[in-house]
Amino acid sequence: MAGNTFQQDLLGIKVIKETTPGTYLAPTQALYLERGANYPKVAFKKQTIDPMAATSGWKHDAVSPGTGTIEYEITQKMSANRLDFEVLLNTCNFLGTATTTPAGMSYEMKTSLADTMSIDFVGTRATLKGSGGKGAFKFKGEVNNPVEISFAYKFAYAGEVLLAPTDADNVVPEATVPNMLYIIEDCDGYSINGTSGHFESFEIDWGANIVKADTTCPSSSYVQEYAPTLKIVQSLTEENEASWEELKLNTTKNIVIGLFDATGTKRGEIRIPNAMPNDNDPSGKDGRLTVTKSFACLPTTGDDNIQVVLFD
């Protein structure tokens, strides 16, 4: 007999950093998600079977065993508690180092970081599992709004658990809405080469290409290459913040984007210590001149292209 009760469109996500990269570990941390989560698709490689017409004549695709890949984007408003998303930064190759003045943690890119993540997509009647996850991230923010972060992951399919008709529904994991970090009206919080700037919005794209390799020993995904970029929208003043001459001369910038909680207390910074301008796109907005400035985020030493500094 066909089922007579529809499944609810509910989905929660739990994650954990794997002890052995690429080996599934039962997740324990429920993630806060800003948007409704969709049940992911598992993509399998397929082989086309195309025999000669004289032998059978029918053509079809056959799934290659053990090749399932899950691609999924996790979107959040940025929490003031770094532990809410630290596992996501770590598995995007950003390693934290403790800071003392002020106390907190500074996350910087480490090319060789092998950390990977297991994930459970828990629905009311089924749980889908992924392992060996590695991701790439984007940050974006507008003045007087929370900062949004998104993490685009690739996982190996690690199986699923389907409930029997007589089983009780799964408990879909939930997470408390966090205290969020904002871009606010604070002139001293946003600077280019130490000078305050009239920032309206920003977007940082790590630009990483994530690869899940096909090998005889199942392995985790990894970062093939990355090309981090920054875009800032500024209101222009008599200080002439946008200069074509700077583009011509390849003058690099030290850019700091402050992160504030709802009380206006500074809780962190995103630092781009060596931003190379590569485009200015001027336009008008509400009767004032604005410009979208694009930068390549270059390192000064090691992999410090982007630094995410979060205060305790």
Side-chain angles (χ1 to χ4, degrees):
M1 177 180 175
N4 56 17
T5 303
F6 291 112
Q7 291 191 35
Q8 291 181 287
D9 185 18
L10 296 176
L11 183 71
I13 290 178
K14 296 173 75 173
V15 298
I16 195 171
K17 185 161 63 175
E18 294 169 343
T19 304
T20 302
T23 300
Y24 177 82
L25 185 65
T28 57
Q29 180 181 352
L31 287 184
Y32 164 74
L33 302 174
E34 178 61 23
R35 300 194 180 96
N38 296 318
Y39 209 66
K41 177 181 178 179
V42 182
F44 291 94
K45 289 189 175 181
K46 297 178 182 179
Q47 301 296 324
T48 299
I49 310 302
D50 190 9
M52 295 176 59
T55 43
S56 57
W58 46 267
K59 178 179 178 180
H60 68 284
D61 290 336
V63 170
S64 299
T67 60
T69 299
I70 301 170
E71 296 188 18
Y72 199 80
E73 183 169 296
I74 298 168
T75 300
Q76 300 179 322
K77 292 290 193 296
M78 192 173 187
S79 172
N81 182 357
R82 65 175 184 270
L83 297 181
D84 287 342
F85 58 92
E86 185 173 60
V87 64
L88 302 177
L89 286 177
N90 290 164
T91 53
C92 286
N93 279 34
F94 272 67
L95 182 64
T97 302
T99 60
T100 55
T101 309
M105 195 74 71
S106 175
Y107 298 88
E108 294 183 13
M109 165 72 185
K110 299 297 178 186
T111 305
S112 59
L113 192 63
D115 289 347
T116 52
M117 187 170 78
S118 290
I119 191 168
D120 280 357
F121 301 91
V122 183
T124 53
R125 303 296 298 169
T127 299
L128 181 65
K129 302 174 181 291
S131 64
K134 182 73 77 175
F137 69 75
K138 292 182 181 180
F139 289 80
K140 62 180 181 180
E142 297 182 3
V143 172
N144 297 324
N145 286 286
V147 176
E148 186 173 279
I149 48 179
S150 59
F151 302 88
Y153 275 87
K154 285 187 179 178
F155 298 92
Y157 170 62
E160 64 180 341
V161 178
L162 304 177
L163 297 182
T166 55
D167 291 338
D169 287 349
N170 288 324
V171 177
V172 177
E174 297 180 356
T176 303
V177 176
N179 294 321
M180 300 174 185
L181 295 179
Y182 294 77
I183 304 301
I184 67 171
E185 297 177 12
D186 186 314
C187 196
D188 293 333
Y190 310 91
S191 65
I192 298 179
N193 286 346
T195 301
S196 298
H198 293 80
F199 291 18
E200 297 193 10
S201 65
F202 79 93
E203 182 173 331
I204 295 171
D205 185 349
W206 184 32
N209 184 33
I210 309 299
V211 176
K212 178 185 171 296
D214 292 332
T215 66
T216 53
C217 297
S219 60
S220 58
S221 300
Y222 65 92
V223 178
Q224 178 189 12
E225 60 185 3
Y226 61 100
T229 58
L230 166 69
K231 287 186 178 180
I232 296 175
V233 177
Q234 284 188 272
S235 296
L236 300 186
T237 72
E238 72 279 3
E239 296 293 332
N240 290 318
E241 291 92 338
S243 166
W244 298 110
E245 193 67 16
E246 286 181 344
L247 288 179
K248 174 184 174 182
L249 298 175
N250 288 327
T251 306
T252 58
K253 304 288 188 181
N254 182 356
I255 298 175
V256 176
I257 299 169
L259 304 170
F260 296 80
D261 65 19
T263 68
T265 302
K266 193 172 188 179
R267 298 295 302 276
E269 294 176 341
I270 300 175
R271 301 170 183 169
I272 314 292
N274 198 27
M276 175 77 74
N278 56 32
D279 194 22
N280 288 333
D281 186 8
S283 61
K285 180 180 179 181
D286 299 331
R288 65 184 184 279
L289 185 61
T290 64
V291 63
T292 300
K293 303 171 74 170
S294 300
F295 302 85
C297 303
L298 307 180
T300 55
T301 57
D303 294 317
D304 67 349
N305 311 58
I306 302 169
Q307 302 167 18
V308 182
V309 183
L310 301 173
F311 308 151
D312 289 340

